[in-house]
Amino acid sequence: MTFEPESLGRSRSDLAEALRNERKRAGLAQTRLAQRCNMSQTKISNIESGKLTPTLIDVELILEAVGSDSPAAAKIIGLARTAHTEWQDDWASQRRGLDKKQNELARLETVTTEFRFFLPTMITGLLATPDYVRASLARNSGDLSKTVAKKLERQHVLLDSSKSFTFVLTEQAVRWPLVSPLAMAMQLDRLVSVSRIPQVRLGVIPLGMGGPVVDTPLSVFTLYDRRLVQIETNTGALILRDHRDVNAYRDDFERYETYAVFGNECRELLSDWALGFSGLGR
């Protein structure tokens, strides 16, 4: 499926209209369609008014119930997938204020129980020292003090014992020299400390693991429960909410996880690399 970013906002209303038209074409009242789909009439009404974005399974059930032909059904399935996709570009975030994005992430973190972070390029904000956070924002203009403060404030979520966090980083991400050697040593010490928090599981995929790795990391992504996955690019973030997309990324994460080392083995690697940055390496 291909899409234009500007079409994502329209797809929800387009989907609602298309489903409403297919029901009317089939000559079905909302109550009758609801019975065929084993849904409530209220749910059908909310879908057709655009108040509720249906899952792909919902859409497939409705299309089967109204007997849509293949071309019409394919178009509507495409609309449904697009309706579950959101593009957040960096330029829009800068115009709104980067601190607003931090507020959105904090709200998402509040309602999430299980987090999975795959980090092949750099260290994420929840794990970062103040120096590293500032350096990660260096390409942005203006006063970033609020954004830095809110990024650091969000780290308190790691202490919430009702949540679980799994971070998988590549060695390249951990050792990429974003800040001075001494600041990098402090950043790696921070990773060691965070890895000891009971609800945090932090692993690193070392370059010298031995043996071939058949999976090729393509991007940074974060899984929030089974609710959504956020994929980061150089110019923004793609948000996918369809369960099939989320499950595909969960499968990817579990494969990458098998290549990582955790616990004391991970902490020993991080400590050795920290000593190398500080000039005290063996």
Side-chain angles (χ1 to χ4, degrees):
M1 180 189 71
T2 60
F3 61 83
E4 295 296 329
E6 59 270 19
S7 72
L8 298 182
R10 296 196 310 268
S11 63
R12 292 176 178 83
S13 58
D14 290 346
L15 175 61
E17 182 181 2
L19 290 173
R20 184 170 62 251
N21 289 340
E22 284 299 293
R23 174 182 61 78
K24 290 180 176 179
R25 180 196 56 77
L28 294 175
Q30 288 185 348
T31 51
R32 181 59 179 154
L33 176 59
Q35 290 171 354
R36 289 190 178 186
C37 297
N38 195 27
M39 298 178 190
S40 69
Q41 186 271 332
T42 300
K43 181 173 181 178
I44 294 293
S45 176
N46 287 338
I47 288 172
E48 291 188 357
S49 66
K51 294 179 181 178
L52 174 67
T53 302
T55 67
L56 276 178
I57 292 176
D58 289 338
V59 172
E60 288 169 351
L61 286 171
I62 291 171
L63 292 176
E64 182 178 353
V66 301
S68 291
D69 59 23
S70 294
K75 180 179 178 180
I76 293 171
I77 289 293
L79 284 172
R81 288 187 63 82
T82 306
H84 283 272
T85 304
E86 179 183 348
W87 171 250
Q88 299 178 346
D89 68 81
D90 285 347
W91 294 283
S93 294
Q94 288 183 45
R95 288 194 300 271
R96 290 171 53 239
L98 294 177
D99 58 310
K100 303 295 190 302
K101 172 68 174 177
Q102 297 305 308
N103 292 338
E104 292 172 2
L105 288 171
R107 287 193 292 271
L108 179 56
E109 288 159 359
T110 297
V111 299
T112 301
T113 300
E114 181 190 67
F115 301 77
R116 300 184 182 198
F117 295 80
F118 180 62
L119 306 166
T121 57
M122 63 185 294
I123 296 165
T124 191
L126 289 183
L127 302 174
T129 62
D131 282 344
Y132 197 98
V133 168
R134 282 189 285 270
S136 71
L137 296 168
R139 67 175 181 159
N140 299 287
S141 58
D143 181 7
L144 298 171
S145 56
K146 283 186 180 179
T147 303
V148 171
K150 290 189 175 182
K151 268 183 171 283
L152 296 174
E153 183 181 338
R154 284 176 44 227
Q155 294 177 354
H156 290 298
V157 74
L158 296 175
L159 303 179
D160 187 339
S161 60
S162 69
K163 302 179 185 295
S164 67
F165 304 83
T166 304
F167 298 90
V168 173
L169 303 92
T170 63
E171 180 177 339
Q172 298 98 314
V174 172
R175 302 181 72 179
W176 187 261
L178 189 66
V179 290
S180 70
L182 181 57
M184 283 299 300
M186 295 174 66
Q187 173 60 74
L188 269 62
D189 286 342
R190 157 82 178 160
L191 295 181
V192 171
S193 298
V194 171
S195 74
R196 298 185 186 279
I197 298 174
Q199 53 270 16
V200 173
R201 187 165 178 262
L202 190 149
V204 173
I205 302 175
L207 286 173
M209 70 177 70
V213 178
V214 296
D215 297 293
T216 302
L218 297 177
S219 57
V220 173
F221 65 85
T222 306
L223 288 151
Y224 297 89
D225 293 326
R226 293 184 179 272
R227 180 181 294 108
L228 63 87
V229 58
Q230 175 174 286
I231 304 103
E232 296 181 32
T233 75
N234 285 343
T235 57
L238 191 65
I239 314 295
L240 304 177
R241 293 182 175 83
D242 176 51
H243 77 281
R244 281 177 276 200
D245 293 321
V246 174
N247 287 340
Y249 275 91
R250 286 178 69 93
D251 290 343
D252 286 348
F253 186 90
E254 289 172 3
R255 287 198 303 275
Y256 295 136
E257 197 174 3
T258 63
Y259 301 124
V261 295
F262 293 87
N264 288 334
E265 188 178 357
C266 176
R267 286 189 280 270
E268 287 175 7
L269 276 177
L270 292 170
S271 296
D272 283 346
W273 295 336
L275 287 172
F277 277 116
S278 65
L280 302 175
R282 301 171 212 176

